[in-house]
Amino acid sequence: MGPGNRNLDFEWLEDFMALAESGNFSRAAEARAIAQPAFSRHIRGLEEWVGVDLFDRSAHPATLTAAGQRFLPLLEGVLGDLEAARIKARAAHDQEESTLRFAATHSLSLTFFPRWLTGIESRLHIGALQTMSDSSRSCEFLMFQRRVQFVLCHGHKDVPGRLDEQEYPMLRLGSETLLPVSVPHPDGTRGKALHAIGNAPPVPMLAYGEDSGLGRIMRAQLRPNMARAGRRNTQAELQEVFTAHHAVLLKTMALEGRGIAWLPQSLIEAELASGALVGAGAQALNIPVEIRMYRQRAVMSDKAEALWALAQQQALD
């Protein structure tokens, strides 16, 4: 019970966490899969239960008040303890049937994850496994909502993501490179790209959407990489003509000759070998990225903890 003997709805706490993370009522309501008016009522209901405003609605995005800032870490601890208690109870009931839950970005779910999982299964009985493949932003939300135990995504040391900002434990499982590629030029010159950095601007670029972790990394690194390649005016030279969250779709559009795309090398190995795609810029324009695995901060099931311990042994550092 809170002020006025009002009951507390547990879902309000989850809604509070979603809004504290995004700062946007519409986006938080979408992440929670409820209508915005209902979501706003939940937040107001929680504030009435606490007895004070938790969000400053005059700010854009909405920010936590001093009371909200105090409430957030305490609530995280409570929810973490509740989740740990729930998981331990379920694991004690049927440890062998406990399910491991992964969220992986689309490209990694097709390339790195299957091979990595095979190596893990040779040393640990996995049992039931649930994998959700989505954009980087959606995978982060699944972790914040504690719907998955692990997130597999790309990262970069100079471009921290939201899981880094929230200090979720992380392992570096591998590395790869984003390569600028295009279909070959129709004149048949070996290795010559139809669309290439250095062609008469504007050069068409196939870009990642805002929800893409690779897009966040690419945009942050493209300007300094262009400078290292001796090209200063990125905006004038490149023109975004197509945007998508998924590297696989950008690969398809690149193969259709629509422009340059920065794609993970592991995703286009066959196309590079066959010549269906060729390099479209100097080596200085390549962008190295890390393959990362994040875990929940709270104690997980014995099997999940065993998988994390095994992954630690295989991590790069």
Side-chain angles (χ1 to χ4, degrees), residues 285-298:
L285 295 173
N286 297 348
I287 301 175
V289 293
E290 299 170 346
I291 299 172
R292 297 178 173 183
M293 184 170 77
Y294 294 85
R295 60 159 286 170
Q296 285 290 346
R297 290 176 294 194

Side-chain angles (χ1 to χ4, degrees), residues 120-315:
I120 290 291
E121 288 178 323
S122 68
R123 301 179 59 185
L124 177 69
H125 174 64
I126 297 296
L129 176 69
Q130 180 183 7
T131 305
M132 287 168 270
S133 178
D134 213 320
S135 68
S136 178
R137 183 183 294 273
S138 295
C139 289
E140 290 169 341
F141 270 122
L142 290 170
M143 179 67 92
F144 293 141
Q145 296 167 4
R146 290 171 296 282
R147 292 173 58 189
V148 297
Q149 298 152 322
F150 305 102
V151 166
L152 195 67
C153 61
H154 288 103
H156 193 284
K157 61 183 180 64
D158 296 329
V159 189
R162 291 183 299 171
L163 294 177
D164 301 304
E165 294 169 352
Q166 297 294 322
E167 297 183 344
Y168 278 75
M170 182 270 289
L171 298 175
R172 297 174 180 85
L173 301 183
S175 61
E176 66 177 335
T177 305
L178 298 182
L179 304 176
V181 294
S182 163
V183 292
H185 198 282
D187 68 9
T189 303
R190 182 177 180 83
K192 182 179 179 181
L194 174 61
H195 306 290
I197 307 297
N199 287 1
V203 178
M205 180 175 71
L206 311 173
Y208 295 94
E210 293 182 0
D211 288 347
S212 168
L214 288 179
R216 184 175 62 243
I217 294 170
M218 194 195 83
R219 284 180 169 82
Q221 292 296 299
L222 187 55
R223 187 177 298 276
N225 280 29
M226 291 285 281
R228 283 193 291 272
R231 322 200 76 85
R232 299 285 178 177
N233 195 337
T234 307
Q235 295 298 326
E237 190 156 358
L238 294 173
Q239 179 182 20
E240 293 188 13
V241 296
F242 183 81
T243 303
H245 300 322
H246 307 151
V248 174
L249 181 52
L250 294 185
K251 170 185 170 181
T252 300
M253 297 300 287
L255 287 169
E256 291 293 325
R258 298 298 187 95
I260 294 176
W262 268 258
L263 297 174
Q265 186 171 356
S266 61
L267 188 64
I268 55 174
E269 289 177 343
E271 288 76 16
L272 291 174
S274 68
L277 291 173
V278 297
Q283 187 172 356
L285 295 173
N286 297 348
I287 301 175
V289 293
E290 299 170 346
I291 299 172
R292 297 178 173 183
M293 184 170 77
Y294 294 85
R295 60 159 286 170
Q296 285 290 346
R297 290 176 294 194
V299 176
M300 302 184 294
S301 69
D302 291 345
K303 185 169 292 186
E305 293 289 355
L307 184 144
W308 180 257
L310 185 56
Q312 285 180 306
Q313 299 175 18
Q314 301 177 350

Side-chain angles (χ1 to χ4, degrees), residues 84-102:
R86 183 186 70 83
I87 290 177
K88 286 184 176 181
R90 292 180 61 184
H93 173 70
D94 197 352
Q95 179 66 39
E96 289 303 315
E97 292 300 321
S98 62
T99 300
L100 294 178
R101 302 184 304 278
F102 275 84

Side-chain angles (χ1 to χ4, degrees), residues 32-64:
R32 294 283 294 142
I34 61 176
Q36 183 177 337
F39 181 86
S40 297
R41 289 195 298 271
H42 291 181
I43 297 298
R44 180 56 68 188
L46 177 61
E47 291 176 322
E48 292 175 359
W49 182 86
V50 175
V52 295
D53 287 343
L54 300 174
F55 291 94
D56 181 1
R57 291 163 173 79
S58 65
H60 299 284
T63 58
L64 291 168

